[in-house]
């Protein structure tokens, strides 16, 4: 988050909120109880953060991106 009242922050939050609502509800108008609603929300967030493809990551899911990132060997050049 940046400064108070930043429209950029609001746009990001609104975009995520719209995606979350669309993917969680998927034609559903209600849940039988609060527990089921919470479970669906958890499933949706878990999918979003692990398996859903993200354009920012080259259409890869976050898990694949993280695995590729951590497999890349990093070494320090030997000092002269």
């Amino acid at each position: 988050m940046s400064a108070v009242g930043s429209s950029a922050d609001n746009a990001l939050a609104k975009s995520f909120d719209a995606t979350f609502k669309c993917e969680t509800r998927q034609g559903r108008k209600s849940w039988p109880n609060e527990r089921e609603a919470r479970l669906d929300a958890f499933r949706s967030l878990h999918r979003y953060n692990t398996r859903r493809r993200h354009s920012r990551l080259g259409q890869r899911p976050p898990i694949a991106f993280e695995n590729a990132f951590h497999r890349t060997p990093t070494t320090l050049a030997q000092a002269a």
Side-chain angles (χ1 to χ4, degrees):
M1 302 300 266
S2 61
V4 174
S6 170
S7 61
D9 289 344
N10 192 41
L12 179 62
K14 291 286 188 180
S15 176
F16 173 78
D17 189 43
T19 300
F20 177 71
K21 285 180 180 179
C22 181
E23 292 184 1
T24 302
R25 292 175 58 191
Q26 294 183 357
R28 181 181 281 218
K29 291 185 180 182
S30 65
W31 286 264
N33 54 48
E34 182 181 349
R35 182 178 186 276
E36 290 300 318
R38 287 178 181 265
L39 283 172
D40 275 354
F42 176 79
R43 286 184 200 110
S44 178
L45 290 172
H46 183 265
R47 181 182 175 278
Y48 185 88
N49 288 322
T50 59
R51 297 186 320 237
R52 184 179 180 270
R53 294 173 187 240
H54 292 263
S55 59
R56 181 78 170 135
L57 304 178
Q59 294 302 324
R60 292 182 290 176
I63 293 293
F65 180 80
E66 288 290 326
N67 288 340
F69 180 75
H70 289 298
R71 285 189 188 138
T72 304
T74 54
T75 58
L76 295 174
Q78 189 172 10

